Amino acid sequence: MAQSLAQEKLYTEADYYNLPENVRAELIDGRIYYQSAPSRIHQEILNYLNTEINIYIRSKDGKCRVYPAPFAVKLHQDKKNIVEPDISVICDPDKLTDKGCSGAPDWIIEIVSPGSRRIDYFTKLFKYRTAGVREYWIVDPDKKRITVYDFESEDIGDYTFSDSVKAGIYNNLYINFADIADLLDS
């Protein structure tokens, strides 16, 4: 007699959009990944990066838009992948919808939390590269490191919280992580 294997339920975009508003989650390959509230340090870094990027874009009369989480990004048209990057920079206004972004943002930043480490470093790295994201930063507060993936030039950069890091999608935007280190020390 053959044993039957338990079937794991796979979710879709409809399931994701039917979650209660106060529930933070991502849909990756048909699986729902629930997220806890971010730490204060996570939010300090998010606020700093979001502000610096916005100030730069506005000072250049840029067309790109910056969206901090929670902001839904539908990476593919497959209805089984919707992520909420910590920061999404979208330069093509045609990708913006009332529900978020449909297609790959130009630049994504993820701030690593203890529960997101494996997903940020591996799963999302693969998803973002194959979706067509131009640049992906992983900011790791525990390690005080920033890993920069420039998918267009196939470069990988490794930086610390004492470095100034250049955004590859802009000619002269540098983020000074020493300022973030000072924020976290105060």
Side-chain angles (χ1 to χ4, degrees):
M1 180 173 191
Q3 281 187 323
S4 65
L5 297 174
Q7 295 295 314
E8 182 177 335
K9 177 173 174 38
L10 293 180
Y11 296 89
T12 67
E13 177 181 333
D15 297 311
Y16 172 84
Y17 285 118
N18 283 321
L19 291 171
E21 271 191 42
N22 63 341
V23 173
R24 293 191 63 226
E26 294 180 304
L27 177 67
I28 300 174
D29 293 330
R31 291 182 178 84
I32 299 277
Y33 292 87
Y34 293 97
Q35 301 172 319
S36 60
S39 70
R40 181 190 62 81
I41 289 172
H42 182 282
Q43 292 304 91
E44 290 274 1
I45 295 170
L46 175 69
N47 186 48
Y48 179 84
L49 293 172
N50 187 58
T51 300
E52 292 296 304
I53 296 166
N54 266 308
I55 288 170
Y56 175 83
I57 291 171
R58 288 182 182 168
S59 74
K60 303 293 182 190
D61 294 323
K63 64 175 181 159
C64 300
R65 296 290 178 253
V66 184
Y67 296 94
F71 181 74
V73 173
K74 184 176 171 182
L75 291 172
H76 305 284
Q77 297 305 312
D78 62 9
K79 300 185 185 230
K80 62 180 185 172
N81 286 286
I82 300 174
V83 293
E84 292 187 6
D86 289 311
I87 295 178
S88 301
V89 178
I90 297 115
C91 300
D92 180 354
D94 292 337
K95 290 182 179 179
L96 296 172
T97 70
D98 286 342
K99 291 186 175 187
C101 177
S102 184
D106 293 86
W107 181 15
I108 288 178
I109 300 174
E110 293 285 6
I111 303 162
V112 177
S113 299
S116 73
R117 184 169 301 283
R118 184 181 58 78
I119 289 173
D120 291 342
Y121 276 102
F122 300 104
T123 306
K124 287 185 176 180
L125 172 65
F126 175 76
K127 290 288 178 195
Y128 294 159
R129 182 175 44 222
T130 59
V133 171
R134 293 168 56 196
E135 187 167 351
Y136 175 40
W137 288 20
I138 301 173
V139 178
D140 194 326
D142 288 343
K143 294 181 179 181
K144 293 188 173 18
R145 301 203 66 80
I146 306 96
T147 307
V148 174
Y149 294 91
D150 181 337
F151 295 133
E152 289 185 316
S153 65
E154 298 185 16
D155 277 345
I156 300 171
D158 193 31
Y159 305 91
T160 71
F161 275 30
S162 61
D163 293 324
S164 186
V165 182
K166 183 184 181 307
I169 69 167
Y170 294 109
N171 289 332
N172 56 0
L173 171 59
Y174 291 85
I175 305 289
N176 186 356
F177 277 85
D179 290 344
I180 292 175
D182 290 345
L183 268 176
L184 301 180
D185 290 340
S186 61

